[in-house]
Amino acid sequence: MRLILHHWDTDGICSAAMLFNKDCKNMTPKIGNYYLEEDEIEKIKEEKFDEIYVVDLALNESSLKEIAEISKVKVFDHHVSKKVNGVEYVNPILEGKDEEDYPSASWVVGEFLNEKDNLLSFLGAVGDWEERIKITRFYEKLQDFMKKANITFEEMHEMIYLIDSNYKIGDKKEVERAVSMLSEAEDVAEFILNNEKWRRNRETIEKEIEKILNTEGKKIGNILIKEMDCRYNIISTVARRLWNKKDYVIVVNHGYFENECQVYVRGNNVLHLIQKALEHGYVAGGKKNVMGAIVPREECEEFINEILEEIK
Ligand SMILES: [Mn+2]
């Protein structure tokens, strides 16, 4: 039996669905965690898997080391990460390939399985890049596919929103179920677009986001600060919608974790902020335009002040 450990977003779910068969089980970490908790490791130990695939998941080094001691581990990914000894990697980015040629884990998996011409493989890429995929050289491939499959970009986008509604609403079980369902669906597009449960999720989330966008934020110079108290994992969506693509926006959610705050910053270059968060020992990550960090409640205010000092 093989375990597929995957990210909870569209790319993670689609990549896992492509790799899934009847000899697999799949699992996502607790949503929001980029590591495995003690009981999750125990569970993996008990099941005595022959092999573990880690898919589109930037798992922290110590979790990866722990599961590598339990079983053979193969990582399918497109994130930059530090290699762990004894783990096998299918990650062209680590071999120096360009992210425009490997925009998602699903595309990496598609190449591995020789199934690139697959809706799931493209969905992962659109999920990770959204509109920005249009300014990459990958877009030509996507356009060819959409034309052949008779699917519009808006429909692709809609599918992503529906798949992602599961993690945003915090339904880990449904995230996990989605993998086998997508892998077994006869018409994947139809299955996603007509999924009643996912559509209801989407409405709930959309209402919540609207509510947050309509509350007043705080402005310090050009920096917008928005605080929220929401039990859904929608902070990245809120931050993206608030960002005007030139100034900084800081979003803090007090309501998702019990003892920590989620902190998101969007700006033209926030790499130095990721570095800062990591120096504090926080679970943090991101890309050039976005930083996400999980900050202990009592350190949150101070960390925000530190960010402000850094960027204003
Ligand atoms: Mn991804």
Side-chain angles (χ1 to χ4, degrees):
M1 191 61 90
R2 173 188 297 142
L3 173 68
I4 304 176
L5 204 56
H6 57 94
H7 197 200
W8 46 78
D9 72 356
T10 293
D11 188 24
I13 290 173
C14 290
S15 307
M18 292 172 78
L19 291 162
F20 191 84
N21 59 43
K22 63 175 180 20
D23 300 317
C24 295
K25 282 191 180 171
N26 69 293
M27 168 186 161
T28 194
K30 198 184 270 179
I31 293 166
N33 280 356
Y34 287 92
Y35 59 92
L36 294 167
E37 294 188 351
E38 214 35 66
D39 60 320
E40 291 170 325
I41 301 237
E42 277 313 308
K43 231 179 107 192
I44 294 171
K45 264 188 198 153
E46 276 167 26
E47 298 237 19
K48 303 202 185 323
F49 292 104
D50 307 303
E51 189 176 21
I52 301 173
Y53 284 176
V54 178
V55 181
D56 190 43
L57 186 63
L59 210 53
N60 75 343
E61 202 180 332
S62 74
S63 298
L64 200 50
K65 278 182 178 158
E66 278 192 80
I67 58 169
E69 277 172 26
I70 301 172
S71 167
K72 202 165 82 180
V73 174
K74 196 178 206 155
V75 172
F76 295 86
D77 205 355
H78 66 124
H79 296 100
V80 183
S81 66
K82 211 174 113 195
K83 281 193 180 182
V84 166
N85 263 340
V87 171
E88 196 184 329
Y89 287 83
V90 182
N91 183 344
I93 302 298
L94 293 183
E95 315 300 321
K97 293 288 193 334
D98 194 284
E99 59 173 4
E100 288 199 21
D101 296 319
Y102 293 93
S104 63
S106 61
W107 195 255
V108 173
V109 168
E111 184 172 86
F112 177 82
L113 298 172
N114 209 359
E115 280 176 33
K116 282 200 225 168
D117 218 20
N118 180 325
L119 174 60
L120 292 170
S121 194
F122 283 98
L123 273 178
V126 179
D128 272 18
W129 288 69
E130 300 205 37
E131 288 291 326
R132 288 178 308 129
I133 199 80
K134 291 183 176 174
I135 52 168
T136 66
R137 62 172 172 268
F138 184 80
Y139 190 50
E140 217 181 287
K141 289 194 190 89
L142 176 61
Q143 278 181 307
D144 287 344
F145 171 79
M146 291 192 297
K147 205 166 158 194
K148 246 191 337 205
N150 198 17
I151 295 175
T152 64
F153 189 79
E154 287 63 39
E155 285 169 322
M156 298 282 288
H157 209 256
E158 166 98 4
M159 289 183 227
I160 283 144
Y161 208 104
L162 289 167
I163 299 173
D164 280 345
S165 77
N166 292 306
Y167 89 74
K168 287 180 181 171
I169 211 145
D171 192 345
K172 172 173 140 76
K173 280 270 165 312
E174 187 71 8
V175 166
E176 291 170 339
R177 267 197 296 266
V179 168
S180 59
M181 291 194 296
L182 288 182
S183 137
E184 286 154 16
E186 239 164 74
D187 184 332
V188 173
E190 194 187 31
F191 174 83
I192 300 169
L193 292 171
N194 295 324
N195 191 308
E196 281 305 319
K197 184 173 185 175
W198 299 359
R199 298 197 84 87
R200 280 197 303 276
N201 285 348
R202 181 205 160 106
E203 272 171 45
T204 309
I205 292 162
E206 205 45 50
K207 273 193 205 132
E208 193 70 20
I209 292 173
E210 282 304 317
K211 214 166 76 190
I212 295 163
L213 294 181
N214 287 329
T215 63
E216 196 79 34
K218 199 163 83 184
K219 270 254 175 180
I220 300 181
N222 286 330
I223 306 165
L224 173 65
I225 305 173
K226 188 84 141 187
E227 308 236 6
M228 58 198 246
D229 189 358
C230 179
R231 65 193 173 95
Y232 301 137
N233 197 7
I234 53 176
I235 187 167
S236 68
T237 314
V238 170
R240 195 177 304 126
R241 296 233 192 135
L242 286 173
W243 192 41
N244 63 4
K245 294 205 165 70
K246 58 176 208 279
D247 302 316
Y248 287 99
V249 50
I250 303 174
V251 186
V252 185
N253 184 13
H254 302 277
Y256 188 74
F257 292 110
E258 201 169 333
N259 302 313
E260 293 101 0
C261 295
Q262 295 175 297
V263 177
Y264 253 75
V265 184
R266 276 201 170 258
N268 272 329
N269 188 346
V270 298
L271 291 172
H272 59 298
L273 299 178
I274 300 174
Q275 201 49 44
K276 271 247 170 306
L278 291 172
E279 278 165 23
H280 279 291
Y282 304 152
V283 176
K287 294 174 254 207
K288 191 165 170 248
N289 297 135
V290 55
M291 180 209 75
I294 301 169
V295 181
R297 200 172 282 285
E298 59 280 3
E299 294 175 33
C300 192
E301 202 180 315
E302 203 182 312
F303 183 58
I304 303 298
N305 285 333
E306 203 177 314
I307 293 173
L308 286 171
E309 276 312 310
E310 190 83 16
I311 63 181
K312 78 182 177 194

PDB file of all heavy atoms in Angstrom, residues 127-155:
ATOM      1  N   GLY A 127      -4.551  26.704 -10.923  1.00  0.00           N
ATOM      2  CA  GLY A 127      -4.796  26.902  -9.493  1.00  0.00           C
ATOM      3  C   GLY A 127      -3.668  27.664  -8.815  1.00  0.00           C
ATOM      4  O   GLY A 127      -3.900  28.576  -8.035  1.00  0.00           O
ATOM      5  N   ASP A 128      -2.450  27.303  -9.133  1.00  0.00           N
ATOM      6  CA  ASP A 128      -1.305  27.938  -8.472  1.00  0.00           C
ATOM      7  C   ASP A 128      -1.020  29.343  -9.007  1.00  0.00           C
ATOM      8  O   ASP A 128      -0.488  30.184  -8.309  1.00  0.00           O
ATOM      9  CB  ASP A 128      -0.046  27.077  -8.632  1.00  0.00           C
ATOM     10  CG  ASP A 128       0.072  26.060  -7.506  1.00  0.00           C
ATOM     11  OD1 ASP A 128      -0.951  25.811  -6.836  1.00  0.00           O
ATOM     12  OD2 ASP A 128       1.168  25.526  -7.297  1.00  0.00           O
ATOM     13  N   TRP A 129      -1.344  29.587 -10.276  1.00  0.00           N
ATOM     14  CA  TRP A 129      -0.956  30.860 -10.903  1.00  0.00           C
ATOM     15  C   TRP A 129      -2.117  31.820 -11.120  1.00  0.00           C
ATOM     16  O   TRP A 129      -1.904  33.012 -11.292  1.00  0.00           O
ATOM     17  CB  TRP A 129      -0.274  30.603 -12.260  1.00  0.00           C
ATOM     18  CG  TRP A 129       1.098  30.028 -12.130  1.00  0.00           C
ATOM     19  CD1 TRP A 129       1.411  28.764 -11.690  1.00  0.00           C
ATOM     20  CD2 TRP A 129       2.342  30.667 -12.417  1.00  0.00           C
ATOM     21  NE1 TRP A 129       2.765  28.592 -11.703  1.00  0.00           N
ATOM     22  CE2 TRP A 129       3.367  29.741 -12.146  1.00  0.00           C
ATOM     23  CE3 TRP A 129       2.681  31.932 -12.893  1.00  0.00           C
ATOM     24  CZ2 TRP A 129       4.719  30.044 -12.325  1.00  0.00           C
ATOM     25  CZ3 TRP A 129       4.027  32.241 -13.075  1.00  0.00           C
ATOM     26  CH2 TRP A 129       5.036  31.293 -12.793  1.00  0.00           C
ATOM     27  N   GLU A 130      -3.331  31.258 -11.180  1.00  0.00           N
ATOM     28  CA  GLU A 130      -4.516  32.056 -11.511  1.00  0.00           C
ATOM     29  C   GLU A 130      -4.279  32.887 -12.774  1.00  0.00           C
ATOM     30  O   GLU A 130      -3.664  32.407 -13.711  1.00  0.00           O
ATOM     31  CB  GLU A 130      -4.904  32.921 -10.309  1.00  0.00           C
ATOM     32  CG  GLU A 130      -5.228  32.018  -9.114  1.00  0.00           C
ATOM     33  CD  GLU A 130      -6.162  32.681  -8.128  1.00  0.00           C
ATOM     34  OE1 GLU A 130      -7.071  33.405  -8.538  1.00  0.00           O
ATOM     35  OE2 GLU A 130      -5.984  32.446  -6.920  1.00  0.00           O
ATOM     36  N   GLU A 131      -4.714  34.156 -12.751  1.00  0.00           N
ATOM     37  CA  GLU A 131      -4.623  35.004 -13.955  1.00  0.00           C
ATOM     38  C   GLU A 131      -3.192  35.130 -14.481  1.00  0.00           C
ATOM     39  O   GLU A 131      -2.970  35.303 -15.676  1.00  0.00           O
ATOM     40  CB  GLU A 131      -5.159  36.412 -13.641  1.00  0.00           C
ATOM     41  CG  GLU A 131      -6.668  36.498 -13.473  1.00  0.00           C
ATOM     42  CD  GLU A 131      -7.427  36.266 -14.778  1.00  0.00           C
ATOM     43  OE1 GLU A 131      -6.916  36.651 -15.838  1.00  0.00           O
ATOM     44  OE2 GLU A 131      -8.529  35.673 -14.699  1.00  0.00           O
ATOM     45  N   ARG A 132      -2.218  35.068 -13.554  1.00  0.00           N
ATOM     46  CA  ARG A 132      -0.833  35.296 -13.971  1.00  0.00           C
ATOM     47  C   ARG A 132      -0.325  34.242 -14.953  1.00  0.00           C
ATOM     48  O   ARG A 132       0.679  34.443 -15.636  1.00  0.00           O
ATOM     49  CB  ARG A 132       0.095  35.340 -12.749  1.00  0.00           C
ATOM     50  CG  ARG A 132      -0.055  36.607 -11.898  1.00  0.00           C
ATOM     51  CD  ARG A 132       0.846  36.528 -10.702  1.00  0.00           C
ATOM     52  NE  ARG A 132       0.613  35.263  -9.995  1.00  0.00           N
ATOM     53  CZ  ARG A 132       1.574  34.411  -9.648  1.00  0.00           C
ATOM     54  NH1 ARG A 132       2.826  34.678  -9.894  1.00  0.00           N
ATOM     55  NH2 ARG A 132       1.249  33.296  -9.024  1.00  0.00           N
ATOM     56  N   ILE A 133      -1.019  33.102 -15.021  1.00  0.00           N
ATOM     57  CA  ILE A 133      -0.591  32.066 -15.956  1.00  0.00           C
ATOM     58  C   ILE A 133      -0.609  32.607 -17.389  1.00  0.00           C
ATOM     59  O   ILE A 133       0.133  32.159 -18.249  1.00  0.00           O
ATOM     60  CB  ILE A 133      -1.499  30.801 -15.824  1.00  0.00           C
ATOM     61  CG1 ILE A 133      -0.829  29.561 -16.417  1.00  0.00           C
ATOM     62  CG2 ILE A 133      -2.859  31.000 -16.477  1.00  0.00           C
ATOM     63  CD1 ILE A 133       0.176  28.907 -15.560  1.00  0.00           C
ATOM     64  N   LYS A 134      -1.459  33.636 -17.596  1.00  0.00           N
ATOM     65  CA  LYS A 134      -1.614  34.200 -18.943  1.00  0.00           C
ATOM     66  C   LYS A 134      -0.370  34.933 -19.435  1.00  0.00           C
ATOM     67  O   LYS A 134      -0.219  35.157 -20.630  1.00  0.00           O
ATOM     68  CB  LYS A 134      -2.809  35.159 -18.984  1.00  0.00           C
ATOM     69  CG  LYS A 134      -4.146  34.447 -18.833  1.00  0.00           C
ATOM     70  CD  LYS A 134      -5.302  35.419 -18.942  1.00  0.00           C
ATOM     71  CE  LYS A 134      -6.630  34.664 -18.891  1.00  0.00           C
ATOM     72  NZ  LYS A 134      -7.769  35.589 -18.855  1.00  0.00           N
ATOM     73  N   ILE A 135       0.486  35.347 -18.517  1.00  0.00           N
ATOM     74  CA  ILE A 135       1.695  36.047 -18.967  1.00  0.00           C
ATOM     75  C   ILE A 135       2.927  35.137 -18.931  1.00  0.00           C
ATOM     76  O   ILE A 135       4.055  35.589 -19.037  1.00  0.00           O
ATOM     77  CB  ILE A 135       1.956  37.340 -18.141  1.00  0.00           C
ATOM     78  CG1 ILE A 135       1.949  37.045 -16.647  1.00  0.00           C
ATOM     79  CG2 ILE A 135       0.910  38.410 -18.473  1.00  0.00           C
ATOM     80  CD1 ILE A 135       2.468  38.196 -15.796  1.00  0.00           C
ATOM     81  N   THR A 136       2.704  33.831 -18.791  1.00  0.00           N
ATOM     82  CA  THR A 136       3.826  32.883 -18.874  1.00  0.00           C
ATOM     83  C   THR A 136       3.819  32.213 -20.248  1.00  0.00           C
ATOM     84  O   THR A 136       2.798  32.221 -20.949  1.00  0.00           O
ATOM     85  CB  THR A 136       3.698  31.751 -17.829  1.00  0.00           C
ATOM     86  OG1 THR A 136       2.542  30.957 -18.150  1.00  0.00           O
ATOM     87  CG2 THR A 136       3.543  32.313 -16.431  1.00  0.00           C
ATOM     88  N   ARG A 137       4.942  31.606 -20.599  1.00  0.00           N
ATOM     89  CA  ARG A 137       4.965  30.920 -21.894  1.00  0.00           C
ATOM     90  C   ARG A 137       4.199  29.589 -21.820  1.00  0.00           C
ATOM     91  O   ARG A 137       3.954  28.937 -22.821  1.00  0.00           O
ATOM     92  CB  ARG A 137       6.398  30.716 -22.388  1.00  0.00           C
ATOM     93  CG  ARG A 137       7.278  29.868 -21.516  1.00  0.00           C
ATOM     94  CD  ARG A 137       8.608  29.597 -22.226  1.00  0.00           C
ATOM     95  NE  ARG A 137       9.532  28.951 -21.312  1.00  0.00           N
ATOM     96  CZ  ARG A 137      10.404  29.610 -20.560  1.00  0.00           C
ATOM     97  NH1 ARG A 137      10.468  30.933 -20.623  1.00  0.00           N
ATOM     98  NH2 ARG A 137      11.207  28.965 -19.733  1.00  0.00           N
ATOM     99  N   PHE A 138       3.799  29.206 -20.606  1.00  0.00           N
ATOM    100  CA  PHE A 138       2.981  28.004 -20.450  1.00  0.00           C
ATOM    101  C   PHE A 138       1.586  28.200 -21.043  1.00  0.00           C
ATOM    102  O   PHE A 138       0.910  27.245 -21.417  1.00  0.00           O
ATOM    103  CB  PHE A 138       2.866  27.666 -18.955  1.00  0.00           C
ATOM    104  CG  PHE A 138       2.121  26.392 -18.671  1.00  0.00           C
ATOM    105  CD1 PHE A 138       2.744  25.160 -18.806  1.00  0.00           C
ATOM    106  CD2 PHE A 138       0.794  26.417 -18.263  1.00  0.00           C
ATOM    107  CE1 PHE A 138       2.062  23.983 -18.553  1.00  0.00           C
ATOM    108  CE2 PHE A 138       0.101  25.245 -18.002  1.00  0.00           C
ATOM    109  CZ  PHE A 138       0.738  24.031 -18.147  1.00  0.00           C
ATOM    110  N   TYR A 139       1.153  29.460 -21.110  1.00  0.00           N
ATOM    111  CA  TYR A 139      -0.221  29.779 -21.488  1.00  0.00           C
ATOM    112  C   TYR A 139      -0.605  29.228 -22.865  1.00  0.00           C
ATOM    113  O   TYR A 139      -1.746  28.838 -23.097  1.00  0.00           O
ATOM    114  CB  TYR A 139      -0.445  31.295 -21.436  1.00  0.00           C
ATOM    115  CG  TYR A 139      -1.905  31.687 -21.570  1.00  0.00           C
ATOM    116  CD1 TYR A 139      -2.891  31.083 -20.787  1.00  0.00           C
ATOM    117  CD2 TYR A 139      -2.306  32.660 -22.487  1.00  0.00           C
ATOM    118  CE1 TYR A 139      -4.215  31.446 -20.909  1.00  0.00           C
ATOM    119  CE2 TYR A 139      -3.636  33.016 -22.611  1.00  0.00           C
ATOM    120  CZ  TYR A 139      -4.590  32.415 -21.820  1.00  0.00           C
ATOM    121  OH  TYR A 139      -5.911  32.773 -21.943  1.00  0.00           O
ATOM    122  N   GLU A 140       0.400  29.158 -23.745  1.00  0.00           N
ATOM    123  CA  GLU A 140       0.119  28.633 -25.074  1.00  0.00           C
ATOM    124  C   GLU A 140      -0.342  27.174 -24.994  1.00  0.00           C
ATOM    125  O   GLU A 140      -1.300  26.771 -25.649  1.00  0.00           O
ATOM    126  CB  GLU A 140       1.384  28.738 -25.908  1.00  0.00           C
ATOM    127  CG  GLU A 140       1.137  29.090 -27.355  1.00  0.00           C
ATOM    128  CD  GLU A 140       2.445  29.154 -28.112  1.00  0.00           C
ATOM    129  OE1 GLU A 140       3.188  30.131 -27.895  1.00  0.00           O
ATOM    130  OE2 GLU A 140       2.736  28.210 -28.875  1.00  0.00           O
ATOM    131  N   LYS A 141       0.334  26.417 -24.167  1.00  0.00           N
ATOM    132  CA  LYS A 141      -0.047  25.012 -23.977  1.00  0.00           C
ATOM    133  C   LYS A 141      -1.464  24.922 -23.419  1.00  0.00           C
ATOM    134  O   LYS A 141      -2.272  24.106 -23.828  1.00  0.00           O
ATOM    135  CB  LYS A 141       0.905  24.327 -22.986  1.00  0.00           C
ATOM    136  CG  LYS A 141       2.292  24.075 -23.504  1.00  0.00           C
ATOM    137  CD  LYS A 141       3.028  23.088 -22.579  1.00  0.00           C
ATOM    138  CE  LYS A 141       4.501  22.999 -22.915  1.00  0.00           C
ATOM    139  NZ  LYS A 141       5.332  23.969 -22.202  1.00  0.00           N
ATOM    140  N   LEU A 142      -1.731  25.776 -22.446  1.00  0.00           N
ATOM    141  CA  LEU A 142      -3.046  25.785 -21.818  1.00  0.00           C
ATOM    142  C   LEU A 142      -4.131  26.129 -22.840  1.00  0.00           C
ATOM    143  O   LEU A 142      -5.183  25.482 -22.901  1.00  0.00           O
ATOM    144  CB  LEU A 142      -3.054  26.793 -20.660  1.00  0.00           C
ATOM    145  CG  LEU A 142      -4.392  27.019 -19.942  1.00  0.00           C
ATOM    146  CD1 LEU A 142      -4.903  25.738 -19.303  1.00  0.00           C
ATOM    147  CD2 LEU A 142      -4.256  28.111 -18.875  1.00  0.00           C
ATOM    148  N   GLN A 143      -3.845  27.143 -23.665  1.00  0.00           N
ATOM    149  CA  GLN A 143      -4.824  27.539 -24.681  1.00  0.00           C
ATOM    150  C   GLN A 143      -5.122  26.403 -25.657  1.00  0.00           C
ATOM    151  O   GLN A 143      -6.283  26.158 -25.983  1.00  0.00           O
ATOM    152  CB  GLN A 143      -4.315  28.763 -25.450  1.00  0.00           C
ATOM    153  CG  GLN A 143      -4.588  30.051 -24.700  1.00  0.00           C
ATOM    154  CD  GLN A 143      -4.093  31.261 -25.472  1.00  0.00           C
ATOM    155  OE1 GLN A 143      -2.931  31.309 -25.868  1.00  0.00           O
ATOM    156  NE2 GLN A 143      -4.957  32.225 -25.682  1.00  0.00           N
ATOM    157  N   ASP A 144      -4.057  25.711 -26.081  1.00  0.00           N
ATOM    158  CA  ASP A 144      -4.262  24.565 -26.980  1.00  0.00           C
ATOM    159  C   ASP A 144      -5.164  23.532 -26.331  1.00  0.00           C
ATOM    160  O   ASP A 144      -6.078  22.994 -26.951  1.00  0.00           O
ATOM    161  CB  ASP A 144      -2.914  23.901 -27.324  1.00  0.00           C
ATOM    162  CG  ASP A 144      -2.098  24.758 -28.277  1.00  0.00           C
ATOM    163  OD1 ASP A 144      -2.700  25.669 -28.887  1.00  0.00           O
ATOM    164  OD2 ASP A 144      -0.880  24.523 -28.383  1.00  0.00           O
ATOM    165  N   PHE A 145      -4.891  23.281 -25.046  1.00  0.00           N
ATOM    166  CA  PHE A 145      -5.680  22.272 -24.346  1.00  0.00           C
ATOM    167  C   PHE A 145      -7.144  22.696 -24.227  1.00  0.00           C
ATOM    168  O   PHE A 145      -8.059  21.914 -24.493  1.00  0.00           O
ATOM    169  CB  PHE A 145      -5.103  22.012 -22.939  1.00  0.00           C
ATOM    170  CG  PHE A 145      -5.990  21.137 -22.104  1.00  0.00           C
ATOM    171  CD1 PHE A 145      -6.009  19.760 -22.288  1.00  0.00           C
ATOM    172  CD2 PHE A 145      -6.837  21.690 -21.148  1.00  0.00           C
ATOM    173  CE1 PHE A 145      -6.856  18.948 -21.540  1.00  0.00           C
ATOM    174  CE2 PHE A 145      -7.688  20.893 -20.391  1.00  0.00           C
ATOM    175  CZ  PHE A 145      -7.687  19.521 -20.591  1.00  0.00           C
ATOM    176  N   MET A 146      -7.362  23.957 -23.815  1.00  0.00           N
ATOM    177  CA  MET A 146      -8.736  24.425 -23.604  1.00  0.00           C
ATOM    178  C   MET A 146      -9.536  24.357 -24.905  1.00  0.00           C
ATOM    179  O   MET A 146     -10.706  24.006 -24.906  1.00  0.00           O
ATOM    180  CB  MET A 146      -8.727  25.853 -23.040  1.00  0.00           C
ATOM    181  CG  MET A 146      -8.189  25.933 -21.612  1.00  0.00           C
ATOM    182  SD  MET A 146      -8.470  27.531 -20.809  1.00  0.00           S
ATOM    183  CE  MET A 146      -7.527  28.638 -21.838  1.00  0.00           C
ATOM    184  N   LYS A 147      -8.847  24.681 -25.991  1.00  0.00           N
ATOM    185  CA  LYS A 147      -9.510  24.649 -27.290  1.00  0.00           C
ATOM    186  C   LYS A 147      -9.943  23.216 -27.620  1.00  0.00           C
ATOM    187  O   LYS A 147     -11.091  22.961 -27.982  1.00  0.00           O
ATOM    188  CB  LYS A 147      -8.532  25.159 -28.351  1.00  0.00           C
ATOM    189  CG  LYS A 147      -9.200  25.732 -29.569  1.00  0.00           C
ATOM    190  CD  LYS A 147      -8.196  26.512 -30.387  1.00  0.00           C
ATOM    191  CE  LYS A 147      -8.688  26.635 -31.827  1.00  0.00           C
ATOM    192  NZ  LYS A 147      -7.596  27.077 -32.701  1.00  0.00           N
ATOM    193  N   LYS A 148      -9.011  22.298 -27.435  1.00  0.00           N
ATOM    194  CA  LYS A 148      -9.301  20.887 -27.737  1.00  0.00           C
ATOM    195  C   LYS A 148     -10.402  20.342 -26.839  1.00  0.00           C
ATOM    196  O   LYS A 148     -11.272  19.602 -27.253  1.00  0.00           O
ATOM    197  CB  LYS A 148      -8.015  20.060 -27.534  1.00  0.00           C
ATOM    198  CG  LYS A 148      -7.519  19.486 -28.811  1.00  0.00           C
ATOM    199  CD  LYS A 148      -6.408  18.456 -28.665  1.00  0.00           C
ATOM    200  CE  LYS A 148      -5.601  18.532 -27.414  1.00  0.00           C
ATOM    201  NZ  LYS A 148      -4.275  17.998 -27.465  1.00  0.00           N
ATOM    202  N   ALA A 149     -10.335  20.721 -25.546  1.00  0.00           N
ATOM    203  CA  ALA A 149     -11.279  20.180 -24.566  1.00  0.00           C
ATOM    204  C   ALA A 149     -12.589  20.982 -24.532  1.00  0.00           C
ATOM    205  O   ALA A 149     -13.521  20.610 -23.829  1.00  0.00           O
ATOM    206  CB  ALA A 149     -10.644  20.163 -23.180  1.00  0.00           C
ATOM    207  N   ASN A 150     -12.607  22.072 -25.287  1.00  0.00           N
ATOM    208  CA  ASN A 150     -13.790  22.931 -25.313  1.00  0.00           C
ATOM    209  C   ASN A 150     -14.147  23.458 -23.913  1.00  0.00           C
ATOM    210  O   ASN A 150     -15.296  23.376 -23.472  1.00  0.00           O
ATOM    211  CB  ASN A 150     -14.953  22.147 -25.944  1.00  0.00           C
ATOM    212  CG  ASN A 150     -16.056  23.083 -26.414  1.00  0.00           C
ATOM    213  OD1 ASN A 150     -15.822  24.289 -26.556  1.00  0.00           O
ATOM    214  ND2 ASN A 150     -17.232  22.536 -26.631  1.00  0.00           N
ATOM    215  N   ILE A 151     -13.123  23.964 -23.230  1.00  0.00           N
ATOM    216  CA  ILE A 151     -13.304  24.523 -21.886  1.00  0.00           C
ATOM    217  C   ILE A 151     -12.746  25.943 -21.897  1.00  0.00           C
ATOM    218  O   ILE A 151     -11.692  26.181 -22.487  1.00  0.00           O
ATOM    219  CB  ILE A 151     -12.543  23.675 -20.835  1.00  0.00           C
ATOM    220  CG1 ILE A 151     -13.134  22.271 -20.747  1.00  0.00           C
ATOM    221  CG2 ILE A 151     -12.590  24.338 -19.452  1.00  0.00           C
ATOM    222  CD1 ILE A 151     -12.369  21.342 -19.832  1.00  0.00           C
ATOM    223  N   THR A 152     -13.443  26.881 -21.264  1.00  0.00           N
ATOM    224  CA  THR A 152     -12.930  28.257 -21.222  1.00  0.00           C
ATOM    225  C   THR A 152     -12.074  28.468 -19.977  1.00  0.00           C
ATOM    226  O   THR A 152     -12.132  27.691 -19.020  1.00  0.00           O
ATOM    227  CB  THR A 152     -14.086  29.286 -21.163  1.00  0.00           C
ATOM    228  OG1 THR A 152     -14.792  29.087 -19.928  1.00  0.00           O
ATOM    229  CG2 THR A 152     -15.030  29.126 -22.330  1.00  0.00           C
ATOM    230  N   PHE A 153     -11.294  29.550 -20.003  1.00  0.00           N
ATOM    231  CA  PHE A 153     -10.468  29.874 -18.838  1.00  0.00           C
ATOM    232  C   PHE A 153     -11.360  30.145 -17.625  1.00  0.00           C
ATOM    233  O   PHE A 153     -11.037  29.762 -16.502  1.00  0.00           O
ATOM    234  CB  PHE A 153      -9.582  31.097 -19.127  1.00  0.00           C
ATOM    235  CG  PHE A 153      -8.565  31.349 -18.051  1.00  0.00           C
ATOM    236  CD1 PHE A 153      -7.396  30.604 -17.994  1.00  0.00           C
ATOM    237  CD2 PHE A 153      -8.784  32.322 -17.083  1.00  0.00           C
ATOM    238  CE1 PHE A 153      -6.458  30.823 -16.993  1.00  0.00           C
ATOM    239  CE2 PHE A 153      -7.850  32.549 -16.069  1.00  0.00           C
ATOM    240  CZ  PHE A 153      -6.684  31.786 -16.031  1.00  0.00           C
ATOM    241  N   GLU A 154     -12.489  30.792 -17.865  1.00  0.00           N
ATOM    242  CA  GLU A 154     -13.427  31.086 -16.765  1.00  0.00           C
ATOM    243  C   GLU A 154     -13.932  29.798 -16.125  1.00  0.00           C
ATOM    244  O   GLU A 154     -14.088  29.722 -14.911  1.00  0.00           O
ATOM    245  CB  GLU A 154     -14.605  31.931 -17.273  1.00  0.00           C
ATOM    246  CG  GLU A 154     -14.267  33.384 -17.581  1.00  0.00           C
ATOM    247  CD  GLU A 154     -13.253  33.548 -18.716  1.00  0.00           C
ATOM    248  OE1 GLU A 154     -13.342  32.783 -19.706  1.00  0.00           O
ATOM    249  OE2 GLU A 154     -12.358  34.407 -18.600  1.00  0.00           O
ATOM    250  N   GLU A 155     -14.169  28.789 -16.939  1.00  0.00           N
ATOM    251  CA  GLU A 155     -14.602  27.499 -16.385  1.00  0.00           C
ATOM    252  C   GLU A 155     -13.488  26.833 -15.574  1.00  0.00           C
ATOM    253  O   GLU A 155     -13.727  26.246 -14.519  1.00  0.00           O
ATOM    254  CB  GLU A 155     -15.084  26.566 -17.509  1.00  0.00           C
ATOM    255  CG  GLU A 155     -16.446  26.954 -18.048  1.00  0.00           C
ATOM    256  CD  GLU A 155     -16.811  26.211 -19.328  1.00  0.00           C
ATOM    257  OE1 GLU A 155     -15.921  25.980 -20.175  1.00  0.00           O
ATOM    258  OE2 GLU A 155     -17.989  25.865 -19.484  1.00  0.00           O
TER     259      GLU A 155
END
